[in-house]
Structures are given as C-alpha cells and as structure tokens.
Amino acid sequence: MNEFFSRVRVFGYMLKQGAKNILQNMFMIFASVSVIFASLMIIGALVSVSTNMQTIIDHYNDRPEIRINFESRITEEECLKVKDMLLADSRVEEVVYISADENMKGLIKTFENEGNGDLFAGYTDNAQLRFVSLDVSLVPAVSGDEFESFVRSDVEGVSDVRNIAGVVNKLETIKVVVRTCSVIAVLVFGCLSVLLVFNTVKLTVFARKREIEIMKYIGATDVFIVGPFIIEGFFVGLVGSVFSYGVLKLSYSLVYEYFTKNTLFGDSVELVKFDALAGSFLLWFVVAGVALGISAGALAVKRHVRV
C-alpha cells in the first residue's frame, strides 16, 4: 500500500514539474503546438482529398464511359439510327438511349438540388432545351479519347461529348500525385515537428541541468527525471492534434456544404461526409501528435542529460 502511494506521489511530482516546464516556456510551447497543428492539418487535408477523389472515381466508374448529347434538331429516329451504328462497332459494348424527357427531368433535378427548381417553370416544352442522348459503354482497353474523336468527327448532329473515361484517367493521375505528396508530407512535417519539440524540451533541460545533476547524485531514478519532460511532450502533441482535428472538421464541413449546396456539381461531385472519417482522423491525429511529442521529449532528455 505504501508503495502504491509512493508511486502516486512520484507521478504527482512529475505532473507538477511538467506543468511548470510548460508555463516557463509558453512561447516555445506555442511554437511546437503550432507546428504539430499545421503538420497534421496539411496531412489531414491531403488524406481527405485522396479519399474523396477515390469516391468520385468510383462514382464515375459506375457510369457509361461516353455520353453523346445531340443537337435539339436531331429526332428520336435519327438518334436510334446512330445507336444501331454504334452497336455494330467492335469497340462498343452497350448503348443506352436517353429521351428528351429524361434529359429534361435530369436537368430540373440538378437545379432543384440547388434550390432553383422553378428556374425552368414554363420552359419544359422549349425545343432548344430538349435534346436526346446516348450513353455508350466501351469494350475494355478501348481508348475513350480516341472514341470521343471518332464521335465528334464522324457522327452528325453531336452537340457535346462527355468523356467520363478520360475524366477518370485524369483523376487517377491526380490521386497518385496527392498520395505521393501525403507520404512526403508525413516524412517532412513529422521530422520538423520532432525537431521543434526536441528543441523546446532541450531548453527546459538546460535550464534545469544543475538540478537534474543533483537529483542523479542523490539517487533519483531515470523515470523520475525523464517523466516531467515526457509529460511536456505529451501535452504539446495532444493539444496540437486535438486543435488540428477541430479545425480540419470545421474546414471540411464548410467545403462539403459548398460542394453539395452552392454549386452546379452536386450530382457529379459526391464528397464523403466527415462523420465517416471522424473516428479515424481523431484516433490517428492523437496517436501521431502524442507519439511525436513524447519521442521528441525523450530524445532531448536522453541526449543532453545522459540519464
């Protein structure tokens, strides 16, 4: 029982000394917290972008590779003739006809999602806004760019071609770049965070070096001496990680609201809700922040005090 209370008193002393270290070096503590905050924010932003890009890619992969929109003068019969022609092409796997009514309903739905559903009131029968389309699925390994060029040059009455396959390829390239940047960011900012927290703790170590030498002389254990500096690093990492999580959550919510309510891309840009990422972000932010802080604190004491 006495041993238990003795350990409690030792832990209380380490907490007290850790708090004292923090109060005596507020400026450097603020700088350390800021670096960890900025590092985790940048890494979190890159991970968020990569995750959402994968979601968008999956969304587009569920759609036909090519959508052909025809001019309003092209009739249903003419469009169906083009459909039969494309089905005879060895590069084409499937063709789906989209009527003018279906296109109009899709257009109205898009604007309804933006709160502008009455924009087309009285214009649903306007011939200029009514057009037919074809959704084309290509045989695997067929280039969407080449097929798009063929449609634009050889099919009459085409007003627009949406090359979903080309978009997906570009998004895949961007996703690889973002993931590479994420790995580089983890390495660079992780090192910067450790160095700054290391220097912060080192200042405290130098300020108390004489006191630490005396404690070692009278038989203080390594844990007793290192403890306050570990607590200081823990505090820096915890505050920086929690703060970065809160700011990332707020920023993500604003971006999510913008893309889902204030743009014309609500139907095509489907972002992941933050709730689906919150648990992972909070866990990894706290683990990473605390690990960086404790590692830097332990390294500073071990290297400069020789405990």
Side-chain angles (χ1 to χ4, degrees):
M1 196 68 174
N2 290 333
E3 182 179 354
F4 171 77
F5 284 113
S6 176
R7 291 183 177 179
V8 171
R9 285 195 297 270
V10 169
F11 184 70
Y13 168 82
M14 290 190 295
L15 284 176
K16 181 179 178 181
Q17 292 299 314
K20 181 180 177 181
N21 293 344
I22 293 169
L23 293 175
Q24 289 178 343
N25 299 281
M26 288 300 294
F27 177 77
M28 290 299 296
I29 292 294
F30 174 77
S32 300
V33 169
S34 298
V35 169
I36 289 180
F37 159 76
S39 302
L40 293 177
M41 270 293 296
I42 293 172
I43 294 170
L46 290 171
V47 171
S48 298
V49 171
S50 178
T51 301
N52 279 289
M53 290 197 69
Q54 184 59 56
T55 300
I56 295 172
I57 290 171
D58 292 341
H59 172 75
Y60 278 116
N61 278 332
D62 292 335
R63 297 187 173 190
E65 289 93 331
I66 303 290
R67 166 162 284 198
I68 307 171
N69 294 325
F70 291 89
E71 297 172 358
S72 57
R73 65 181 176 83
I74 300 298
T75 64
E76 177 180 341
E77 291 75 16
E78 292 172 318
C79 183
L80 291 175
K81 288 181 181 179
V82 176
K83 175 183 176 182
D84 293 336
M85 181 194 74
L86 293 178
L87 284 172
D89 193 315
S90 60
R91 297 171 294 179
V92 175
E93 187 174 76
E94 183 183 9
V95 181
V96 177
Y97 170 75
I98 310 295
S99 68
D101 288 337
E102 290 175 296
N103 277 328
M104 179 59 71
K105 288 178 181 178
L107 192 60
I108 292 174
K109 182 180 178 181
T110 298
F111 279 88
E112 281 179 345
N113 292 337
E114 306 300 324
N116 298 314
D118 58 345
L119 187 63
F120 289 97
Y123 291 90
T124 54
D125 294 327
N126 190 315
Q128 298 298 320
L129 297 177
R130 299 180 63 82
F131 59 92
V132 292
S133 304
L134 292 175
D135 279 346
V136 182
S137 296
L138 301 176
V139 172
V142 173
S143 170
D145 293 336
E146 290 182 6
F147 191 81
E148 178 187 355
S149 299
F150 158 74
V151 170
R152 291 186 182 276
S153 62
D154 291 21
V155 178
E156 184 183 355
V158 173
S159 64
D160 180 53
V161 180
R162 291 169 55 186
N163 183 1
I164 304 300
V167 172
V168 171
N169 290 336
K170 290 181 176 65
L171 290 175
E172 289 282 5
T173 301
I174 296 173
K175 186 185 73 173
V176 171
V177 173
V178 171
R179 286 188 172 178
T180 303
C181 291
S182 299
V183 173
I184 295 173
V186 169
L187 297 175
V188 172
F189 289 106
C191 292
L192 287 176
S193 300
V194 170
L195 286 175
L196 190 55
V197 178
F198 171 84
N199 287 326
T200 301
V201 176
K202 185 174 69 174
L203 290 176
T204 308
V205 172
F206 281 146
R208 298 183 57 202
K209 191 170 184 179
R210 181 64 176 171
E211 177 185 345
I212 292 171
E213 289 175 350
I214 294 174
M215 286 192 293
K216 284 292 293 181
Y217 181 75
I218 62 177
T221 63
D222 291 351
V223 174
F224 188 80
I225 296 173
V226 173
F229 303 103
I230 297 296
I231 290 172
E232 181 180 345
F234 174 86
F235 172 81
V236 169
L238 182 63
V239 172
S241 60
V242 172
F243 188 38
S244 62
Y245 171 82
V247 175
L248 180 65
K249 180 179 180 179
L250 176 61
S251 303
Y252 191 102
S253 300
L254 293 174
V255 172
Y256 182 86
E257 182 178 0
Y258 175 79
F259 274 99
T260 54
K261 294 183 178 180
N262 299 325
T263 74
L264 296 176
F265 304 105
D267 182 52
S268 57
V269 180
E270 296 184 354
L271 300 184
V272 179
K273 291 185 177 180
F274 188 79
D275 292 344
L277 305 172
S280 298
F281 271 137
L282 182 59
L283 173 64
W284 287 111
F285 273 30
V286 171
V287 169
V290 169
L292 287 172
I294 290 178
S295 300
L299 184 62
V301 178
K302 180 178 179 180
R303 182 175 178 181
H304 294 279
V305 185
R306 297 179 181 178
V307 295

